[in-house]
Amino acid sequence: MAVKALDAVQLTTELIRMNTVNPPGREEPCARYLGALLEAAGFRTTYHGLGQERVSLIAALGSGGTKLPLCFTGHVDTVPLGAAQWRMDPFAADTDAGKLYGRGSSDMKCGVAAFTVAAVNMAKHLGPSCGVTLVITAGEETGCEGAFRLYRDGVLGKAGALVVAEPSSNYPFVGHKGALWLKARTHGVTAHGSMPDKGVNAVYSAARAVSRLERFRFPNPPHALMGQATLNVGTFHGGLNINSVPDQAEIGIDIRTVPTVDHGELIRLLAGQLGAEVELEALMDLTAVYTDPADEWVQCVFEVMTSILGEAPVPRVATYFTDAAALNRAYSDPPTVILGPGEPQMAHQTDEYCVVERVEKSVAGYEEIIRRWCLS
Ligand SMILES: [Zn+2]
């Protein structure tokens, strides 16, 4: 592969030009392209299928000593373009006034490009060290499917600390809320709409459940940084035609949890309050991610980023969830930061862009984080 000194902005451009809108995803060309760059620098790579033209990539270099490797993770799929017309071509990767435009520029092809370049730049030092592992996933935007597949397949190996390169404008976040998405279903008995007494109306049971959900209060104490968990009823479907008694209704519930909530206990509590007429099914179950800001490595990352940001970071959390919810199960909750050059407010937006200067700076930040973990 013809590569001069690898440049993170140029690499972001290449990645944006590969359409990985999910669905359907088609992350394979992105993963293979990055894999080839990493192989050329000495990394061992493995590819893990998620479907047609869909793969995740794991690349690792170094394995010395007793310390575990440092892991960087990012996804290469993107959300769809949305209904609004784009001013910029979403797959051209045009630059204007220091901004690089394209779907996935901020979320999060620039983050993946930046840590790939940092890893390649540091590769010659990593062989004898504890090493660096890159986990580049497919299928994040539809509920971290790719990362959970890697977890279930047992291929993630070990890691002693985790950097999630989701967009944070280079500000290190120490965690994010979890997400528990539930489907609540009620059943009834259908009858002709002119004789409702002959049936059992599933919409009435679902409506009772919705009122209970509106009144629900979380019993756990709020979290110091994340506050309290939230619950929202996002969908309500019931009935097929106006002149029948509906025999089924469904409610979609979006719960965002904090580290003081145990998902299993919460489901049991909700099931108790909603009663036997409601059947609950978990559609997505991602636990919250949080590392005590006093952690030694988190403090080290804060120190590294202070010179890049021009200010000392204070403990903050991200508003979105990440693949860390899956990876941390495999890695037994190592210290984790969410740190990436993308702009969080541009994620999933029309005319998404990333800021060129931040991408360049993040490479220096990642290199220093690697140096301090692996070489000191
Ligand atoms: Zn993302």
Side-chain angles (χ1 to χ4, degrees):
M1 180 167 294
V3 257
K4 9 176 192 58
L6 199 53
D7 173 83
V9 177
Q10 183 56 36
L11 182 53
T12 308
T13 301
E14 309 286 348
L15 298 180
I16 291 170
R17 289 179 181 159
M18 298 180 211
N19 179 340
T20 54
V21 165
N22 177 17
R26 295 204 183 101
E27 299 91 340
E28 183 155 12
C30 259
R32 299 273 174 196
Y33 188 83
L34 293 164
L37 294 174
L38 289 157
E39 280 156 25
F43 277 76
R44 304 179 298 277
T45 58
T46 52
Y47 296 90
H48 306 273
L50 184 66
Q52 200 171 3
E53 294 178 73
R54 308 195 69 187
V55 294
S56 296
L57 162 68
I58 300 179
L61 180 58
S63 56
T66 50
K67 198 172 176 185
L68 294 174
L70 171 63
C71 177
F72 288 83
T73 190
H75 62 86
V76 286
D77 61 323
T78 73
V79 290
L81 301 180
Q85 189 64 36
W86 283 54
R87 188 173 57 84
M88 308 296 280
D89 180 338
F91 304 109
D94 291 322
T95 308
D96 181 33
K99 294 168 178 168
L100 173 57
Y101 286 85
R103 175 50 92 217
S105 51
S106 264
D107 185 13
M108 57 174 287
K109 288 176 170 174
C110 70
V112 171
F115 71 61
T116 299
V117 170
V120 166
N121 290 347
M122 295 299 289
K124 56 183 174 293
H125 308 292
L126 294 177
S129 80
C130 58
V132 167
T133 301
L134 310 184
V135 177
I136 296 170
T137 61
E140 190 271 351
E141 294 289 5
T142 43
C144 307
E145 301 166 77
F148 273 107
R149 174 72 70 88
L150 297 174
Y151 165 66
R152 281 197 303 274
D153 290 350
V155 294
L156 284 164
K158 292 183 172 173
L162 179 63
V163 177
V164 185
E166 289 277 2
S168 77
S169 302
N170 287 337
Y171 200 99
F173 294 130
V174 294
H176 57 74
K177 283 185 173 177
L180 179 61
W181 291 359
L182 301 175
K183 186 189 277 179
R185 203 181 277 113
T186 59
H187 299 279
V189 177
T190 193
H192 195 280
S194 66
M195 293 173 284
D197 51 304
K198 300 268 192 266
V200 177
N201 192 320
V203 164
Y204 293 161
S205 337
R208 282 191 291 276
V210 168
S211 323
R212 290 193 186 108
L213 289 167
E214 189 182 6
R215 290 194 303 270
F216 181 77
R217 294 293 169 264
F218 291 90
N220 55 284
H223 183 263
L225 270 182
M226 298 188 198
Q228 187 51 281
T230 59
L231 181 153
N232 180 58
V233 172
T235 60
F236 189 112
H237 300 293
L240 292 171
N241 49 318
I242 194 166
N243 55 344
S244 293
V245 175
D247 59 357
Q248 189 167 303
E250 277 183 6
I251 308 160
I253 310 165
D254 177 0
I255 304 170
R256 302 302 171 105
T257 60
V258 297
T260 47
V261 176
D262 177 278
H263 286 196
E265 276 171 31
L266 177 61
I267 292 174
R268 281 191 290 280
L269 181 66
L270 282 169
Q273 295 198 6
L274 297 176
E277 64 182 2
V278 180
E279 190 183 292
L280 283 178
E281 181 197 346
L283 302 176
M284 194 172 69
D285 183 354
L286 303 176
T287 45
V289 169
Y290 180 68
T291 306
D292 186 336
D295 175 89
E296 196 185 337
W297 178 70
V298 171
Q299 284 299 316
C300 166
V301 171
F302 277 19
E303 204 178 290
V304 169
M305 297 314 291
T306 297
S307 56
I308 286 170
L309 293 166
E311 57 173 318
V314 294
R316 285 187 193 154
V317 291
T319 53
Y320 45 75
F321 56 77
T322 75
D323 274 340
L327 267 52
N328 279 357
R329 289 192 196 176
Y331 296 147
S332 310
D333 290 316
T336 300
V337 293
I338 294 102
L339 171 66
E343 304 302 310
Q345 78 280 6
M346 289 317 298
H348 304 192
Q349 297 294 312
T350 308
D351 290 318
E352 177 180 352
Y353 64 79
C354 61
V355 177
V356 167
E357 189 192 5
R358 263 206 253 282
V359 180
E360 289 159 348
K361 285 182 169 177
S362 75
V363 176
Y366 289 153
E367 284 180 15
E368 184 58 22
I369 290 168
I370 293 172
R371 199 172 286 118
R372 293 193 187 194
W373 180 269
C374 297
L375 307 176
S376 63

Short mmCIF file of all heavy atoms in Angstrom, two decimals, residues 75 77 106-108 140-141 166-167 320-322 347-348, ligand 1:
data_model
loop_
_atom_site.label_atom_id
_atom_site.label_comp_id
_atom_site.label_asym_id
_atom_site.label_seq_id
_atom_site.Cartn_x
_atom_site.Cartn_y
_atom_site.Cartn_z
N HIS A 75 -15.90 3.14 16.25
CA HIS A 75 -16.73 2.45 15.25
C HIS A 75 -16.59 3.16 13.90
O HIS A 75 -16.34 4.36 13.86
CB HIS A 75 -18.19 2.39 15.69
CG HIS A 75 -18.85 3.74 15.85
ND1 HIS A 75 -19.43 4.41 14.80
CD2 HIS A 75 -19.01 4.54 16.94
CE1 HIS A 75 -19.94 5.56 15.24
NE2 HIS A 75 -19.69 5.67 16.53
N ASP A 77 -19.09 2.58 11.40
CA ASP A 77 -20.40 2.80 10.77
C ASP A 77 -20.88 4.21 11.11
O ASP A 77 -20.36 4.84 12.02
CB ASP A 77 -21.42 1.74 11.22
CG ASP A 77 -21.69 1.76 12.72
OD1 ASP A 77 -20.74 2.00 13.50
OD2 ASP A 77 -22.85 1.54 13.14
N SER A 106 -17.23 13.61 12.41
CA SER A 106 -17.04 13.73 13.87
C SER A 106 -17.34 12.42 14.58
O SER A 106 -16.63 12.04 15.51
CB SER A 106 -17.95 14.84 14.43
OG SER A 106 -17.23 16.05 14.54
N ASP A 107 -18.41 11.75 14.14
CA ASP A 107 -18.88 10.52 14.82
C ASP A 107 -18.75 9.34 13.88
O ASP A 107 -19.71 8.97 13.24
CB ASP A 107 -20.33 10.72 15.27
CG ASP A 107 -20.85 9.56 16.06
OD1 ASP A 107 -20.05 8.70 16.47
OD2 ASP A 107 -22.07 9.49 16.26
N MET A 108 -17.57 8.69 13.83
CA MET A 108 -16.37 9.09 14.52
C MET A 108 -15.15 8.66 13.74
O MET A 108 -14.20 8.11 14.25
CB MET A 108 -16.36 8.50 15.95
CG MET A 108 -16.49 6.97 15.95
SD MET A 108 -16.30 6.27 17.61
CE MET A 108 -14.54 6.48 17.85
N GLU A 140 -22.11 -0.06 15.49
CA GLU A 140 -22.29 0.58 16.79
C GLU A 140 -23.58 1.35 16.85
O GLU A 140 -24.29 1.36 17.86
CB GLU A 140 -21.10 1.52 17.08
CG GLU A 140 -21.06 2.07 18.51
CD GLU A 140 -21.83 3.38 18.70
OE1 GLU A 140 -22.27 3.98 17.70
OE2 GLU A 140 -22.02 3.79 19.85
N GLU A 141 -23.91 2.03 15.75
CA GLU A 141 -25.03 2.98 15.76
C GLU A 141 -26.39 2.29 15.95
O GLU A 141 -27.38 2.95 16.23
CB GLU A 141 -25.04 3.80 14.46
CG GLU A 141 -23.83 4.73 14.32
CD GLU A 141 -23.85 5.92 15.28
OE1 GLU A 141 -24.76 5.98 16.14
OE2 GLU A 141 -22.95 6.77 15.16
N GLU A 166 -14.89 8.44 20.77
CA GLU A 166 -16.13 9.11 20.35
C GLU A 166 -15.93 10.62 20.47
O GLU A 166 -15.06 11.09 21.21
CB GLU A 166 -17.30 8.68 21.25
CG GLU A 166 -17.76 7.25 21.05
CD GLU A 166 -18.73 7.07 19.88
OE1 GLU A 166 -19.03 8.07 19.19
OE2 GLU A 166 -19.16 5.93 19.65
N PRO A 167 -16.74 11.40 19.74
CA PRO A 167 -16.51 12.86 19.71
C PRO A 167 -16.63 13.51 21.09
O PRO A 167 -17.64 13.38 21.76
CB PRO A 167 -17.61 13.37 18.77
CG PRO A 167 -18.61 12.27 18.66
CD PRO A 167 -17.86 11.00 18.87
N TYR A 320 -24.01 10.64 25.45
CA TYR A 320 -24.38 9.48 24.62
C TYR A 320 -23.79 8.20 25.23
O TYR A 320 -22.96 8.26 26.12
CB TYR A 320 -23.84 9.67 23.21
CG TYR A 320 -22.40 10.17 23.18
CD1 TYR A 320 -21.35 9.31 23.46
CD2 TYR A 320 -22.10 11.50 22.91
CE1 TYR A 320 -20.04 9.74 23.46
CE2 TYR A 320 -20.78 11.95 22.89
CZ TYR A 320 -19.75 11.07 23.19
OH TYR A 320 -18.46 11.50 23.20
N PHE A 321 -24.21 7.05 24.71
CA PHE A 321 -23.57 5.81 25.16
C PHE A 321 -22.59 5.34 24.09
O PHE A 321 -22.60 5.83 22.96
CB PHE A 321 -24.58 4.73 25.52
CG PHE A 321 -25.56 4.36 24.45
CD1 PHE A 321 -25.20 3.57 23.39
CD2 PHE A 321 -26.88 4.82 24.51
CE1 PHE A 321 -26.10 3.22 22.40
CE2 PHE A 321 -27.80 4.48 23.53
CZ PHE A 321 -27.41 3.69 22.47
N THR A 322 -21.72 4.40 24.48
CA THR A 322 -20.64 3.96 23.57
C THR A 322 -20.44 2.45 23.65
O THR A 322 -20.99 1.78 24.54
CB THR A 322 -19.29 4.61 23.93
OG1 THR A 322 -18.78 3.96 25.12
CG2 THR A 322 -19.41 6.11 24.20
N ALA A 347 -22.53 15.28 15.96
CA ALA A 347 -22.87 13.87 15.76
C ALA A 347 -24.31 13.75 15.27
O ALA A 347 -25.21 14.39 15.81
CB ALA A 347 -22.69 13.09 17.07
N HIS A 348 -24.50 12.99 14.22
CA HIS A 348 -25.82 12.68 13.64
C HIS A 348 -26.49 13.89 12.99
O HIS A 348 -27.66 13.83 12.62
CB HIS A 348 -26.79 12.07 14.69
CG HIS A 348 -26.24 10.85 15.37
ND1 HIS A 348 -27.03 10.02 16.15
CD2 HIS A 348 -25.02 10.29 15.39
CE1 HIS A 348 -26.30 9.02 16.62
NE2 HIS A 348 -25.05 9.17 16.17
ZN ZN B 1 -20.40 7.30 17.68
#
